[in-house]
Amino acid sequence: MSLNDQTALRVVLYEGTGAQPLEPQQRYDAMSALLDQGFAVTRAVPDGSLPAADRSSLLVLGRFDGGRPPVAVDAQNEVDIRFEDIDGCGTSRIVEMVENVRAEQKAVKPGDWKPWFPVIDYDRCTNCMQCLSFCLFGVYGVDSGQHIQVQNNDNCKTNCPACSRVCPEAAIMFPKYRSGPINGDVVSDADLQREKMKVDISSLLGGDVYQMLRDRSDKARSRFSKERDADKALTERQKCLVKLAQAGDIPPEVLMSLPSPEEIQRRAQEAKAKAEAAIRNQP
Amino acid sequence: MSDKTRILYCNCTYAQVVPKPVKEAVLRELAQSDIGFEAVADLCEMSARRDPALKRLAEGGAVKIAACFPRAVKWLFSAADAPLPCDSTQVLNMRVQSAQEVLAAALSPGLEPNLPRGKETRPAPSELPAS
């Protein structure tokens, strides 16, 4: 099942009409514990309203009057709504109750996958396809309009920010990265001109990338075939990965998980072909 | 705070990049206030799943989001086909702001939109006017 097909269980702490408010400490403890377990929690207060429905299943928790939780169904039969009374329940009991409902409804189990994947800043992206050409794990692809996009984010290697290093515009973010601009901090001139980044990109692609980008509009259609040599790119890519690993940017386990040289070559050529096709088909 | 401005808190559950004391203090204060709010475990995880809840959150009107860098938050929502409206979204950055700063902004009336509206590059220190 792909990430996108999974439904989530959303929890509502209901303190509106027909329910008693929770004690502040109990509310904080419950919310904190549920968030740590990966659940989304909405606090609904008197005079407030329940949030609009989405694809999530809803579990509404509250200290309901008389200890009797209401029963409700979605008239359009799109959202599964459950009510549970939590009067007298401790935090661990509440978490257990929520987890049981999640399992029963086969909703996504939070925490199974660490959300590490590239996020593209399209204000900066020039659609140069270097990320697509670089990534060996098939994370990137193009949409019907030949625009770069992240298509398989769960293929991304946890804690590896290498593709953000090859982006000449610092347009690729990993929000959980430790430092800027990869973490989403504002990009500075210094980031763009950082010598290390220039060296890395040149090493990776085996050419003067900045000159190549300046000429991009004229040469886009033939750029890859003229300026890139697959064998050289492969060798330089491996050298650069070692260099990046030494600099602390790529975890050893990612390097260890690289496929055989033959497989790397096959994937590199596949990625290159995708990038070439995308450039060729750009309007 | 305007009655219509919502608050969204991100717990950044799957990484340790937001200082724990900051996120705990923000959540504690929000939970002990009398306001309703939404809390999510991890916006990154929701974006990766293209969780439809992001669309609901983005389309619900003015919102203050306690999370991380505005540029990251903007494109996390966008990646889930849930673009945030630039003129009615304020992102409070728990990676760099103190809990007091985040809470003061979250609970204050009014909203100061701060999503980047295009390609923004911070000039080098040498290019800044001398103060």
Side-chain angles (χ1 to χ4, degrees):
Chain A
M1 184 187 289
S2 82
L3 282 172
N4 301 350
D5 296 331
Q6 300 175 356
T7 57
L9 175 65
R10 192 149 53 90
V11 180
V12 177
L13 285 184
Y14 181 73
E15 300 176 68
T17 306
Q20 300 299 312
L22 277 65
E23 295 301 322
Q25 186 65 42
Q26 182 190 19
R27 184 186 305 124
Y28 168 75
D29 288 344
M31 292 191 87
S32 181
L34 289 169
L35 290 168
D36 285 345
Q37 292 299 311
F39 294 102
V41 188
T42 300
R43 181 192 176 198
V45 296
D47 301 325
S49 59
L50 274 180
D54 46 46
R55 198 178 63 189
S56 315
S57 295
L58 275 185
L59 174 58
V60 184
L61 305 177
R63 296 171 61 200
F64 296 104
D65 293 347
R68 290 188 304 275
V71 176
V73 292
D74 173 23
Q76 296 175 324
N77 204 26
E78 290 179 349
V79 180
D80 187 64
I81 307 174
R82 286 269 296 267
F83 292 81
E84 295 284 349
D85 188 76
I86 56 168
D87 197 21
C89 293
T91 302
S92 56
R93 174 70 191 113
I94 292 172
V95 172
E96 183 186 353
M97 187 185 286
V98 172
E99 175 54 30
N100 287 343
V101 173
R102 185 209 62 77
E104 190 182 302
Q105 299 193 343
K106 296 183 173 62
V108 60
K109 183 169 174 51
D112 273 358
W113 172 69
K114 179 176 177 178
W116 177 273
F117 59 100
V119 178
I120 299 175
D121 176 346
Y122 286 98
D123 286 337
R124 307 195 67 86
C125 177
T126 61
N127 215 30
C128 71
M129 303 293 163
Q130 292 200 33
C131 49
L132 189 155
S133 184
F134 175 75
C135 178
L136 290 172
F137 302 105
V139 172
Y140 294 94
V142 291
D143 64 13
S144 57
Q146 304 304 315
H147 298 111
I148 189 74
Q149 62 177 194
V150 177
Q151 288 185 340
N152 299 297
N153 44 24
D154 46 344
N155 280 2
C156 193
K157 298 297 176 188
T158 301
N159 296 333
C160 176
C163 58
S164 64
R165 294 284 184 196
V166 307
C167 178
E169 290 291 339
I172 298 175
M173 297 175 281
F174 287 85
K176 296 194 186 309
Y177 191 67
R178 63 179 178 276
S179 55
I182 295 174
N183 62 11
D185 198 357
V186 176
V187 179
S188 69
D189 279 345
D191 293 320
L192 294 176
Q193 291 162 15
R194 192 180 300 151
E195 193 60 29
K196 182 175 180 299
M197 189 179 281
K198 280 187 190 175
V199 170
D200 288 346
I201 296 167
S202 295
S203 299
L204 286 165
L205 300 177
D208 183 344
V209 177
Y210 286 87
Q211 181 61 43
M212 188 166 76
L213 287 173
R214 279 193 289 275
D215 295 340
R216 178 174 172 271
S217 58
D218 297 331
K219 296 182 176 176
R221 289 173 194 279
S222 59
R223 182 175 53 153
F224 282 85
S225 59
K226 282 182 183 171
E227 300 189 10
R228 298 193 63 203
D229 176 282
D231 290 337
K232 186 175 179 183
L234 174 63
T235 307
E236 294 303 328
R237 183 200 300 269
Q238 288 169 325
K239 278 186 194 170
C240 185
L241 286 176
V242 171
K243 206 164 30 171
L244 286 170
Q246 288 167 345
D249 281 320
I250 300 184
E253 57 268 28
V254 173
L255 289 175
M256 295 297 286
S257 71
L258 285 175
S260 67
E262 294 74 24
E263 179 63 9
I264 289 178
Q265 179 123 29
R266 188 190 67 73
R267 292 193 198 178
Q269 293 197 340
E270 194 176 280
K272 178 187 159 199
K274 278 167 77 177
E276 282 177 345
I279 293 273
R280 195 166 50 243
N281 295 329
Q282 278 176 9
Chain B
M1 191 178 72
S2 158
D3 285 341
K4 292 180 182 174
T5 301
R6 297 159 304 137
I7 293 178
L8 169 62
Y9 164 90
C10 174
N11 197 52
C12 196
T13 294
Y14 303 115
Q16 280 80 49
V17 292
V18 174
K20 198 172 178 188
V22 175
K23 65 179 186 180
E24 283 182 352
V26 171
L27 179 61
R28 183 179 294 277
E29 194 70 26
L30 290 175
Q32 294 184 347
S33 72
D34 58 358
I35 57 170
F37 65 100
E38 304 245 9
V40 298
D42 198 299
L43 281 174
C44 290
E45 193 263 349
M46 294 175 79
S47 173
R49 281 193 294 104
R50 290 176 169 76
D51 192 322
L54 292 178
K55 206 171 184 66
R56 173 178 59 79
L57 291 164
E59 293 175 349
V63 61
K64 294 180 180 180
I65 304 174
C68 56
F69 291 99
R71 188 166 75 102
V73 173
K74 171 180 175 174
W75 293 107
L76 278 170
F77 272 80
S78 177
D81 293 327
L84 286 163
C86 281
D87 56 357
S88 56
T89 302
Q90 180 176 5
V91 177
L92 309 167
N93 187 346
M94 294 192 291
R95 287 185 77 157
V96 299
Q97 292 180 280
S98 69
Q100 290 76 15
E101 289 171 327
V102 171
L103 285 163
L107 300 173
S108 69
L111 178 136
E112 296 176 21
N114 64 347
L115 288 183
R117 290 173 182 265
K119 183 176 175 179
E120 292 177 359
T121 303
R122 183 189 292 144
S126 58
E127 294 174 15
L128 292 172
S131 55

